[in-house]
Amino acid sequence: MVFGLFRRRRHPEVHATYTAIVAQARQSGFYSRLQVPDTIDGRFEMLMLHMILVLNRLRGEGETVSAFSQELFDLFFADMDGSLREMGVGDLSVPKKVKKMAEAFYGRAGALAEALASDTRQQLVEVVDRNLFAEAANPVAASAIAAYLREATGLLAGQEPGEIMAGRLRWPDLPAAA
């Protein structure tokens, strides 16, 4: 696994896409207007949601896009590894924490994909509420974010993979307030 970090990337533009995803996940309105907890966990949850949306959009688009998606995923977790180290997490603890993050990512990815495929809005609201507002349920904010996620999914579906891979992602405007 570590040796994969040193291989030459086939898609240098992966950084532009990752930067666009991070920038969207850090929009202050999520934390001020939509009441996402402005904590390490809250920011990680928002970043995961946006990564999952993009990776879901790119799924099934062929070998080149699949390789790009893998590089994007690898960059995300390399960034999480680096962030943990910057926060002072010890070298022996980082792999355990990254493993927990990966488990959380896969769990969220499955739940989000299922909820987005559902005909009912309630399942998506519950996924958002359970994960973003784990400390204190906030169904009103969860409902606003669920609507945003559905709209984002639609916008991403309308974008060509090449645009996404070039870091030119279109996101919906954030809801006014929760």
Coordinates of all heavy atoms in Angstrom, one line a residue, residues 50-100:
H50 N -19.2 14.5 -0.4 CA -18.9 15.1 -1.7 C -18.0 14.1 -2.5 O -18.2 13.9 -3.7 CB -18.2 16.5 -1.6 CG -19.2 17.5 -1.2 ND1 -19.6 17.8 0.1 CD2 -20.0 18.3 -2.0 CE1 -20.5 18.7 0.1 NE2 -20.7 19.1 -1.2
M51 N -17.0 13.5 -1.8 CA -16.2 12.5 -2.5 C -17.1 11.3 -3.0 O -16.9 10.9 -4.2 CB -15.1 11.9 -1.6 CG -13.9 12.8 -1.4 SD -12.9 12.9 -2.9 CE -12.4 11.2 -3.1
I52 N -18.0 10.9 -2.2 CA -18.9 9.8 -2.6 C -19.7 10.2 -3.8 O -19.9 9.4 -4.7 CB -19.7 9.3 -1.4 CG1 -18.8 8.7 -0.3 CG2 -20.8 8.4 -1.8 CD1 -19.5 8.5 1.0
L53 N -20.2 11.4 -3.8 CA -21.1 11.8 -4.9 C -20.3 11.8 -6.2 O -20.7 11.3 -7.3 CB -21.6 13.2 -4.7 CG -22.7 13.4 -3.6 CD1 -23.0 14.8 -3.5 CD2 -23.9 12.5 -3.9
V54 N -19.0 12.3 -6.2 CA -18.2 12.3 -7.4 C -17.8 10.9 -7.8 O -17.9 10.5 -9.0 CB -17.0 13.2 -7.2 CG1 -16.0 13.1 -8.3 CG2 -17.4 14.7 -7.0
L55 N -17.4 10.1 -6.9 CA -17.0 8.7 -7.2 C -18.2 7.9 -7.7 O -18.0 7.1 -8.7 CB -16.3 8.0 -6.0 CG -15.0 8.6 -5.6 CD1 -14.5 8.0 -4.3 CD2 -13.9 8.4 -6.7
N56 N -19.3 8.1 -7.2 CA -20.5 7.4 -7.7 C -20.8 7.9 -9.1 O -21.2 7.1 -10.0 CB -21.8 7.7 -6.8 CG -21.8 6.9 -5.6 OD1 -21.0 6.0 -5.4 ND2 -22.6 7.3 -4.6
R57 N -20.6 9.2 -9.4 CA -20.9 9.7 -10.8 C -19.9 9.0 -11.8 O -20.3 8.7 -12.9 CB -20.8 11.2 -10.8 CG -20.7 11.8 -12.2 CD -21.8 11.4 -13.1 NE -21.6 11.9 -14.4 CZ -21.1 11.1 -15.4 NH1 -20.8 9.9 -15.2 NH2 -21.0 11.6 -16.6
L58 N -18.7 8.9 -11.4 CA -17.7 8.4 -12.3 C -17.7 6.8 -12.5 O -17.1 6.3 -13.4 CB -16.3 8.8 -11.8 CG -16.1 10.3 -11.9 CD1 -14.7 10.6 -11.3 CD2 -16.2 10.9 -13.3
R59 N -18.5 6.2 -11.6 CA -18.5 4.7 -11.7 C -19.1 4.2 -13.0 O -20.1 4.8 -13.5 CB -19.4 4.2 -10.5 CG -19.5 2.6 -10.5 CD -20.3 2.1 -9.3 NE -19.4 2.3 -8.1 CZ -19.7 2.9 -7.1 NH1 -20.9 3.5 -7.0 NH2 -18.9 3.0 -6.0
G60 N -18.5 3.2 -13.6 CA -19.0 2.6 -14.8 C -18.7 3.4 -16.1 O -19.3 3.1 -17.1
E61 N -17.7 4.3 -16.0 CA -17.4 5.1 -17.2 C -16.1 4.6 -17.9 O -15.6 5.4 -18.7 CB -17.2 6.6 -16.7 CG -18.4 7.3 -16.3 CD -19.4 7.6 -17.5 OE1 -18.9 7.5 -18.6 OE2 -20.5 7.9 -17.2
G62 N -15.7 3.4 -17.7 CA -14.6 2.9 -18.4 C -13.3 2.9 -17.7 O -13.2 3.4 -16.5
E63 N -12.3 2.2 -18.3 CA -11.0 2.0 -17.6 C -10.2 3.3 -17.2 O -9.7 3.4 -16.1 CB -10.1 1.2 -18.5 CG -10.1 -0.3 -18.2 CD -9.1 -1.1 -19.0 OE1 -7.9 -0.7 -19.0 OE2 -9.5 -2.0 -19.8
T64 N -10.2 4.2 -18.1 CA -9.5 5.5 -17.8 C -10.1 6.2 -16.6 O -9.4 6.7 -15.7 CB -9.4 6.4 -19.1 OG1 -8.8 5.7 -20.1 CG2 -8.7 7.7 -18.8
V65 N -11.4 6.3 -16.7 CA -12.1 7.0 -15.6 C -12.0 6.2 -14.3 O -11.8 6.8 -13.2 CB -13.6 7.3 -16.0 CG1 -14.3 7.9 -14.8 CG2 -13.7 8.1 -17.2
S66 N -12.0 4.9 -14.4 CA -11.9 4.1 -13.2 C -10.5 4.3 -12.6 O -10.4 4.4 -11.3 CB -12.1 2.6 -13.6 OG -11.9 1.8 -12.4
A67 N -9.5 4.3 -13.4 CA -8.1 4.6 -12.9 C -8.0 6.0 -12.2 O -7.4 6.1 -11.2 CB -7.1 4.5 -14.0
F68 N -8.7 7.0 -12.8 CA -8.7 8.3 -12.3 C -9.4 8.3 -10.9 O -8.9 8.9 -10.0 CB -9.5 9.3 -13.2 CG -9.6 10.6 -12.7 CD1 -8.6 11.6 -12.9 CD2 -10.7 11.0 -11.9 CE1 -8.8 12.9 -12.3 CE2 -10.9 12.2 -11.4 CZ -9.9 13.2 -11.6
S69 N -10.5 7.6 -10.8 CA -11.3 7.5 -9.6 C -10.5 6.9 -8.5 O -10.5 7.3 -7.3 CB -12.6 6.7 -9.8 OG -13.5 7.3 -10.7
Q70 N -9.7 5.8 -8.8 CA -8.8 5.2 -7.8 C -7.8 6.2 -7.4 O -7.5 6.3 -6.2 CB -8.2 4.0 -8.4 CG -7.3 3.2 -7.4 CD -8.1 2.7 -6.2 OE1 -9.1 2.0 -6.4 NE2 -7.7 3.0 -5.0
E71 N -7.2 7.0 -8.3 CA -6.2 8.0 -7.9 C -6.8 9.0 -7.0 O -6.2 9.5 -6.0 CB -5.6 8.6 -9.1 CG -4.6 7.7 -9.8 CD -3.9 8.3 -10.9 OE1 -3.6 9.5 -10.9 OE2 -3.5 7.6 -11.9
L72 N -8.1 9.4 -7.3 CA -8.8 10.4 -6.5 C -9.0 9.9 -5.1 O -8.8 10.5 -4.1 CB -10.1 10.8 -7.2 CG -10.9 11.8 -6.5 CD1 -10.2 13.2 -6.4 CD2 -12.3 12.0 -7.3
F73 N -9.4 8.6 -5.0 CA -9.7 8.0 -3.7 C -8.3 7.9 -2.9 O -8.3 8.2 -1.7 CB -10.2 6.6 -4.0 CG -10.5 5.8 -2.7 CD1 -11.6 5.9 -2.0 CD2 -9.5 4.8 -2.3 CE1 -11.9 5.2 -0.8 CE2 -9.8 4.1 -1.2 CZ -10.9 4.2 -0.4
D74 N -7.3 7.5 -3.6 CA -6.0 7.4 -3.0 C -5.5 8.7 -2.4 O -4.9 8.8 -1.3 CB -4.9 6.8 -3.9 CG -5.2 5.3 -4.3 OD1 -6.0 4.7 -3.6 OD2 -4.5 4.9 -5.3
L75 N -5.7 9.8 -3.2 CA -5.3 11.1 -2.8 C -6.1 11.6 -1.6 O -5.5 12.1 -0.7 CB -5.5 12.1 -4.0 CG -5.2 13.6 -3.7 CD1 -3.7 13.7 -3.2 CD2 -5.4 14.4 -4.9
F76 N -7.4 11.3 -1.6 CA -8.2 11.6 -0.4 C -7.7 11.0 0.9 O -7.5 11.6 1.9 CB -9.6 11.1 -0.7 CG -10.6 11.1 0.5 CD1 -10.8 12.3 1.2 CD2 -11.3 10.0 0.9 CE1 -11.7 12.4 2.2 CE2 -12.2 10.0 1.9 CZ -12.4 11.2 2.6
F77 N -7.3 9.7 0.8 CA -6.8 9.0 2.0 C -5.4 9.4 2.3 O -5.0 9.4 3.5 CB -7.1 7.5 1.9 CG -8.4 7.2 2.4 CD1 -9.5 7.0 1.5 CD2 -8.8 7.2 3.7 CE1 -10.8 6.7 1.9 CE2 -10.1 6.9 4.2 CZ -11.1 6.7 3.2
A78 N -4.6 9.7 1.3 CA -3.2 10.3 1.6 C -3.4 11.6 2.3 O -2.6 11.9 3.3 CB -2.4 10.4 0.3
D79 N -4.3 12.4 1.9 CA -4.6 13.7 2.6 C -5.1 13.5 4.0 O -4.6 14.2 4.9 CB -5.6 14.5 1.7 CG -5.8 15.9 2.3 OD1 -4.8 16.5 2.7 OD2 -6.9 16.4 2.2
M80 N -5.9 12.5 4.2 CA -6.4 12.2 5.6 C -5.2 11.8 6.4 O -5.1 12.2 7.6 CB -7.5 11.2 5.6 CG -8.8 11.6 4.9 SD -9.5 13.1 5.6 CE -9.0 14.3 4.4
D81 N -4.4 10.9 5.9 CA -3.2 10.5 6.6 C -2.3 11.7 7.0 O -1.9 11.8 8.2 CB -2.4 9.5 5.7 CG -1.2 9.0 6.4 OD1 -0.2 9.7 6.5 OD2 -1.2 7.8 6.8
G82 N -2.1 12.5 6.0 CA -1.2 13.7 6.3 C -1.9 14.7 7.3 O -1.2 15.2 8.2
S83 N -3.2 14.8 7.3 CA -3.9 15.7 8.2 C -3.8 15.1 9.6 O -3.6 15.9 10.6 CB -5.4 15.8 7.8 OG -5.5 16.5 6.6
L84 N -3.9 13.8 9.8 CA -3.8 13.2 11.1 C -2.4 13.5 11.7 O -2.3 13.8 12.8 CB -4.1 11.7 11.0 CG -5.5 11.3 10.8 CD1 -5.6 9.8 10.5 CD2 -6.4 11.7 12.0
R85 N -1.4 13.3 10.8 CA 0.0 13.5 11.3 C 0.2 15.0 11.7 O 0.8 15.3 12.7 CB 0.9 13.1 10.2 CG 0.9 11.6 10.0 CD 1.8 11.1 8.9 NE 1.6 9.8 8.5 CZ 2.0 8.7 9.2 NH1 2.8 8.9 10.2 NH2 1.8 7.5 8.8
E86 N -0.4 15.9 10.9 CA -0.3 17.3 11.2 C -1.0 17.7 12.5 O -0.6 18.6 13.3 CB -0.9 18.2 10.1 CG 0.0 18.3 8.9 CD -0.7 19.1 7.8 OE1 -1.7 19.8 8.0 OE2 -0.2 19.0 6.6
M87 N -2.0 16.9 12.9 CA -2.7 17.2 14.1 C -2.0 16.5 15.3 O -2.5 16.6 16.4 CB -4.2 16.6 14.0 CG -5.0 17.4 13.1 SD -6.8 16.9 13.0 CE -6.7 15.1 13.1
G88 N -0.9 15.8 15.0 CA -0.1 15.3 16.1 C -0.4 13.8 16.4 O 0.0 13.3 17.5
V89 N -1.2 13.2 15.6 CA -1.5 11.8 15.9 C -0.2 11.0 15.6 O 0.5 11.2 14.7 CB -2.6 11.2 14.9 CG1 -2.8 9.7 15.1 CG2 -3.9 12.0 15.2
G90 N 0.1 10.1 16.6 CA 1.4 9.4 16.5 C 1.4 8.4 15.3 O 0.4 7.9 14.8
D91 N 2.7 8.2 14.9 CA 2.9 7.3 13.7 C 2.2 5.9 13.9 O 1.7 5.3 12.9 CB 4.4 7.1 13.4 CG 5.0 8.3 12.8 OD1 4.3 9.2 12.3 OD2 6.2 8.5 12.9
L92 N 2.2 5.4 15.1 CA 1.6 4.0 15.3 C 0.1 4.1 15.2 O -0.5 3.1 14.9 CB 2.1 3.5 16.6 CG 3.7 3.2 16.7 CD1 4.0 2.7 18.0 CD2 4.1 2.2 15.6
S93 N -0.5 5.2 15.5 CA -1.9 5.3 15.6 C -2.5 5.7 14.2 O -3.7 5.4 14.0 CB -2.3 6.4 16.6 OG -1.9 6.0 17.9
V94 N -1.8 6.3 13.4 CA -2.3 6.8 12.1 C -2.9 5.7 11.3 O -4.1 5.8 10.8 CB -1.3 7.6 11.3 CG1 -1.7 7.8 9.9 CG2 -0.9 8.9 12.0
P95 N -2.3 4.5 11.1 CA -2.9 3.5 10.2 C -4.2 3.0 10.8 O -5.2 2.7 10.1 CB -1.9 2.4 10.2 CG -0.6 3.0 10.5 CD -0.9 4.2 11.4
K96 N -4.3 2.9 12.1 CA -5.6 2.5 12.8 C -6.7 3.5 12.5 O -7.8 3.1 12.2 CB -5.4 2.3 14.3 CG -4.5 1.1 14.6 CD -4.2 1.1 16.1 CE -3.1 0.1 16.4 NZ -2.6 0.2 17.7
K97 N -6.3 4.8 12.6 CA -7.3 5.8 12.4 C -7.8 5.9 10.9 O -8.9 6.1 10.6 CB -6.8 7.2 12.9 CG -6.7 7.2 14.4 CD -6.5 8.6 14.9 CE -6.4 8.7 16.4 NZ -7.7 8.5 17.1
V98 N -6.8 5.7 10.0 CA -7.1 5.7 8.6 C -8.0 4.5 8.3 O -8.9 4.7 7.5 CB -5.8 5.8 7.7 CG1 -6.1 5.5 6.3 CG2 -5.1 7.1 7.9
K99 N -7.7 3.4 8.9 CA -8.6 2.2 8.7 C -10.0 2.5 9.1 O -11.0 2.2 8.4 CB -8.0 1.0 9.4 CG -8.8 -0.2 9.2 CD -8.3 -1.4 9.9 CE -9.2 -2.6 9.7 NZ -8.7 -3.8 10.4
K100 N -10.2 3.2 10.3 CA -11.5 3.5 10.7 C -12.2 4.5 9.8 O -13.4 4.4 9.5 CB -11.4 4.2 12.1 CG -11.3 3.2 13.2 CD -11.4 3.9 14.6 CE -12.0 3.0 15.6 NZ -12.2 3.6 16.9

